[in-house]
Amino acid sequence: MEETIPATEAAQIPKQRGESLLETAVRYAEERHWDVFPGTWLEAVDGQQHCSCGDTLCDEPGAHPARADWATQATGSATVVRRMWQNRPNASILLPTGRTFDAICVPETAGFLALARMERMELTLGPVTLTPARRMQFFVLPGAAAKVPDLVRKLGWSPASMDLEALGEGGYVAAPPTRYGSRGAVQWACRPTPANRWLPDAEELISPLAYACGRDR
């Protein structure tokens, strides 16, 4: 299984420590072939950090799309990525779902329980993020958003009763090291490495994820 946050071994892809947001965004495009787009950013106002969107009560300060047409802005071209972040060097790094991956989102407590269960089952994982909102996002093959509700029902659970969500076309996730205001930064629970370049299908992970979410209710 890939390393988790408490581990100290450095990730191979992408290098984050000491890199700028621009360099990290380019790595995602070049080395993972992920589409990326710049989101909002944090601005200091009277000694406090506020979202560039201007909403002082923003739910995702510095970590949401800055434009309504963000889906058309997302690109896998390193050249275009460099140009976008050169214009906005502090912009958050956002990744659209429904293209090269979907994401299954669960509470942090359920996510770590599922990770332990997946390790015992010797399942192959893709990258997994941990957000300051205490959510974990498991990257899986595209198409998961359409399949997950039925997969959960087949396991005997009601999708409406579980805190489990699949993000597909029209959605996005914030990528490390994007910061959510003063709450902290998005981190990798399982880092992108050459070993997990090929993503699992939702069907491979849904059983331990649903079990963990059921236990976490």
Side-chain angles (χ1 to χ4, degrees):
M1 190 174 122
E2 301 305 321
E3 75 172 272
T4 54
I5 286 172
T8 58
E9 188 173 323
Q12 296 180 33
I13 300 174
K15 298 175 184 176
Q16 290 179 45
R17 192 177 298 277
E19 284 196 329
S20 67
L21 288 164
L22 182 156
E23 291 168 327
T24 303
V26 168
R27 277 184 171 271
Y28 289 143
E30 285 187 336
E31 299 183 20
R32 298 301 292 199
H33 304 295
W34 289 338
D35 283 1
V36 300
F37 67 99
T40 53
W41 56 92
L42 296 172
E43 297 177 334
V45 179
D46 297 328
Q48 294 187 329
Q49 290 185 323
H50 292 283
C51 185
S52 61
C53 72
D55 182 357
T56 56
L57 301 177
C58 181
D59 291 333
E60 299 179 311
H64 65 85
R67 298 167 37 163
D69 64 344
W70 61 264
T72 62
Q73 188 184 23
T75 178
S77 165
T79 301
V80 176
V81 170
R82 287 185 185 279
R83 183 166 64 245
M84 290 192 295
W85 263 271
Q86 283 170 349
N87 292 334
R88 291 292 184 187
N90 296 323
S92 53
I93 303 173
L94 305 181
L95 312 174
T97 51
R99 299 190 183 187
T100 52
F101 65 88
D102 280 7
I104 301 177
C105 308
V106 299
E108 172 188 311
T109 50
F112 279 116
L113 177 62
L115 283 175
R117 192 173 179 84
M118 291 172 186
E119 182 175 29
R120 291 194 298 271
M121 297 170 68
E122 298 184 349
L123 295 178
T124 300
L125 295 179
V128 182
T129 63
L130 174 62
T131 77
R134 303 180 71 88
R135 304 286 294 179
M136 293 182 75
Q137 300 166 325
F138 290 73
F139 289 22
V140 294
L141 289 173
K147 296 190 295 186
V148 160
D150 283 341
L151 292 173
V152 170
R153 290 188 193 96
K154 288 178 181 178
L155 292 169
W157 301 94
S158 168
S161 69
M162 304 188 71
D163 191 1
L164 183 154
E165 176 189 16
L167 298 175
E169 186 175 358
Y172 66 89
V173 298
T178 294
R179 295 191 64 83
Y180 279 68
S182 60
R183 301 176 205 168
V186 182
Q187 303 176 61
W188 289 115
C190 291
R191 301 176 183 272
T193 70
N196 65 16
R197 182 176 296 278
W198 303 107
L199 300 178
D201 191 276
E203 294 182 34
E204 300 173 59
L205 306 187
I206 198 63
S207 178
L209 285 171
Y211 171 81
C213 286
R215 286 278 302 272
D216 195 48
R217 288 189 302 176

